[in-house]
Amino acid sequence: MDLSSIMTTLLSSDSVSGLSEKTGASKSEVTSVLTSALPMLLQGAQSQADDESTAAGFEQALEDHSKDDTSNLLSFIGGVDLDDGAKIIGHLLGGNTSSTTKKVSKSSGASADSTAQIMSA
């Protein structure tokens, strides 16, 4: 799956609706947070993959989730573990999780709590 497909899927109406329902944020907040956060998260993923000390763990985490059934986005998002998602975000952003969340919150107009939940989902 290429970057364009990922963005299209994440910003689809099913995905946005599911994230809105899961987190209690409005659809416009979800869209705004995703649009603001995705470049930073993708940069974090690239950093994880490029760093010899984190690449194997990152690859294993991807493998652990590779069999997740995403054919029904609403069902998949409904079952998302926000605590696990927060851990993943922590790995992707390293020590910058709090500052990145604040930056995304400010640029998106969503509260810091909503931003953290949307990013975790």
Side-chain angles (χ1 to χ4, degrees):
M1 183 178 274
D2 63 28
L3 185 56
S4 178
S5 297
I6 293 169
M7 293 291 289
T8 300
T9 300
L10 287 173
L11 295 172
S12 72
S13 62
D14 281 350
S15 180
V16 170
S17 293
L19 288 169
S20 176
E21 204 171 297
K22 179 77 176 179
T23 63
S26 71
K27 291 177 185 178
S28 63
E29 287 176 320
V30 169
T31 300
S32 188
V33 167
L34 290 176
T35 302
S36 296
L38 283 172
M40 291 174 242
L41 296 175
L42 290 171
Q43 184 177 28
Q46 186 66 55
S47 295
Q48 288 285 310
D50 289 345
D51 185 331
E52 286 184 31
S53 67
T54 59
F58 182 60
E59 184 177 346
Q60 184 61 52
L62 292 174
E63 178 66 30
D64 290 347
H65 291 282
S66 69
K67 293 178 179 52
D68 290 353
D69 182 9
T70 58
S71 61
N72 181 326
L73 282 176
L74 290 176
S75 176
F76 172 74
I77 291 169
V80 165
D81 181 343
L82 294 177
D83 290 333
D84 188 39
K87 291 175 189 173
I88 293 168
I89 296 301
H91 287 290
L92 292 178
L93 299 176
N96 299 323
T97 303
S98 180
S99 63
T100 300
T101 300
K102 287 178 186 174
K103 186 176 183 179
V104 171
S105 174
K106 185 175 181 178
S107 68
S108 69
S111 72
D113 288 341
S114 288
T115 299
Q117 285 191 331
I118 294 165
M119 289 172 57
S120 294

